[in-house]
């Protein structure tokens, strides 16, 4: 099974499985530049529309393999089933090999083994969504980390943080102009990052559900990068390029990363006015190089504006 870098996800667009343009989206024709998409059968569908969504999804996946690949790069495609029983049903479809994996909603401690059984024997990956009340409990989060380590951690592409559901646990909804880092979820973002990332798990940040607020989205996306998140959930295609821009690497960071990873680098040296210490900065430098690979370098003229 070929390795997929979590940085290949970028802005992950969530699309209801009933969307009439699903085939054009997953074939890479509707939104050029889209790196990953989740076809959702869960919260985005009314219960009365689930069967129609399943049928539309099945037809779209079937068409994806029946026609030639006309696009230079199709997005990574994931399916978010309504529950684990539905995932088991979809995993048996002949066309399931045309997706990268499943997004597991409402992922709780005690569920890892069941989900891993579903993808066993296939090349499918898993992206659990952490969005239940247990995510406010440091001990429960620690236990979930240990559970994931004990199952098959290399089959987990990334852990996704479900911001809206976590806010719902508090009876809150984000206001326009408010970054997720200005809400009580700052604690949860720090907790999840602090427990899962050192254990080797990549993480993505929550969606910003205000569609027409580019300023806060840009600020929040840049903060996501500072927190070490590898991507972000998007609910509207206009958000995709804004999120991708936040992941572009500044020239000086790229230069610093290359110096730090140089086999002949000194133990400690000064570069661009900062101390560089390969023994402690190499992990950061490797992340920088991954971002450059999948998102490229930032426009020098825009760096001072975004800073």
């Amino acid at each position: 099974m070929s390795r997929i870098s979590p940085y290949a996800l970028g802005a992950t667009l969530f699309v209801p499985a009933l969307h009439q343009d699903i085939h054009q989206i997953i074939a890479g024709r509707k939104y050029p530049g889209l790196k990953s998409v989740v076809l959702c059968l869960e919260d985005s569908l009314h219960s009365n529309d689930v069967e129609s969504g399943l049928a539309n999804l099945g037809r779209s996946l079937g068409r994806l393999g029946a026609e030639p690949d006309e696009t230079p790069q199709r997005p990574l495609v994931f399916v978010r089933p309504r529950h684990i029983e539905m995932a088991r049903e979809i995993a048996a479809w002949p066309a399931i090999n045309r997706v990268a994996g499943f997004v597991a909603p409402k992922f709780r401690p005690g569920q890892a083994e069941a989900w891993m059984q579903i993808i066993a024997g296939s090349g499918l990956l898993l992206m659990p969504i952490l969005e239940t009340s247990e995510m406010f409990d440091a001990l429960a989060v620690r236990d979930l980390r240990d559970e994931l380590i004990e199952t098959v951690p290399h089959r987990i592409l990334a852990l996704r943080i479900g911001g809206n559901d976590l806010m719902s646990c508090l009876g809150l909804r984000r206001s326009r102009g408010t970054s997720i880092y200005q809400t009580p979820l700052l604690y949860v973002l720090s907790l999840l990052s602090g427990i899962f990332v050192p254990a080797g798990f990549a993480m993505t940040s929550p969606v910003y559900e205000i569609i027409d607020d580019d300023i806060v989205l840009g600020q929040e996306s840049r903060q996501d990068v500072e927190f070490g998140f590898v991507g972000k959930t998007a609910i509207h295609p206009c958000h995709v390029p804004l999120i991708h821009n936040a992941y572009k690497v500044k020239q000086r960071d790229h230069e610093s990363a290359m110096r730090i990873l140089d086999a002949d680098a000194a133990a400690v040296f000064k570069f661009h006015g900062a101390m560089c210490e390969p023994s402690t900065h190499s992990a950061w430098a490797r992340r920088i190089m991954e971002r450059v690979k999948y998102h490229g370098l930032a426009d020098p003229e825009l760096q001072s504006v975004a800073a």
Side-chain angles (χ1 to χ4, degrees), residues 29-50:
R29 291 193 285 267
K30 180 134 179 110
Y31 303 123
L34 180 65
K35 298 178 184 294
S36 60
V37 60
V38 173
L39 306 179
C40 180
L41 292 151
E42 200 218 5
D43 289 345
S44 65
L45 293 187
H46 190 280
S47 58
N48 295 333
D49 294 326
V50 173

Side-chain angles (χ1 to χ4, degrees), residues 32-173:
L34 180 65
K35 298 178 184 294
S36 60
V37 60
V38 173
L39 306 179
C40 180
L41 292 151
E42 200 218 5
D43 289 345
S44 65
L45 293 187
H46 190 280
S47 58
N48 295 333
D49 294 326
V50 173
E51 289 304 317
S52 297
L54 275 168
N56 191 43
L57 175 62
R59 286 192 299 269
S60 300
L61 293 182
R63 289 180 61 190
L64 189 63
E67 60 185 39
D69 186 358
E70 302 172 352
T71 57
Q73 182 179 0
R74 290 175 173 173
L76 296 169
V77 178
F78 298 86
V79 174
R80 177 163 76 164
R82 208 166 182 86
H83 41 66
I84 197 166
E85 291 77 15
M86 182 182 288
R88 191 173 288 111
E89 173 189 345
I90 296 173
W93 290 0
I96 193 61
N97 62 354
R98 289 157 197 159
V99 307
F102 285 112
V103 168
K106 312 292 189 295
F107 197 89
R108 285 187 158 92
Q111 294 185 335
E113 183 61 35
W115 276 101
M116 289 302 173
Q117 288 176 3
I118 289 175
I119 64 175
S122 73
L124 297 173
L125 298 171
L126 191 67
M127 289 200 292
I129 306 184
L130 309 180
E131 53 186 345
T132 62
S133 59
E134 291 93 338
M135 298 307 109
F136 292 88
D137 182 346
L139 295 180
V141 173
R142 180 203 62 187
D143 291 344
L144 178 57
R145 175 204 61 192
D146 294 345
E147 180 183 343
L148 292 176
I149 291 174
E150 290 171 3
T151 51
V152 192
H154 66 276
R155 299 294 291 276
I156 297 175
L157 179 56
L159 301 173
R160 309 197 70 89
I161 301 176
N164 284 338
D165 280 83
L166 291 171
M167 290 289 281
S168 179
C169 292
L170 302 174
L172 299 174
R173 180 186 181 186

Side-chain angles (χ1 to χ4, degrees), residues 271-287:
F271 189 67
H272 281 316
M275 182 195 78
C276 297
E277 190 174 26
S279 64
T280 56
H281 295 150
S282 291
W284 169 85
R286 286 190 291 270
R287 279 175 167 261

Side-chain angles (χ1 to χ4, degrees), residues 2 4 23 46 87 97 126 148 153 162 180 184 201 214 219 236 251 285:
S2 60
I4 298 176
H23 178 67
H46 190 280
N97 62 354
L126 191 67
L148 292 176
I180 196 73
F201 295 100
D214 293 355
Q219 293 171 344
H236 196 279
Q251 184 69 40

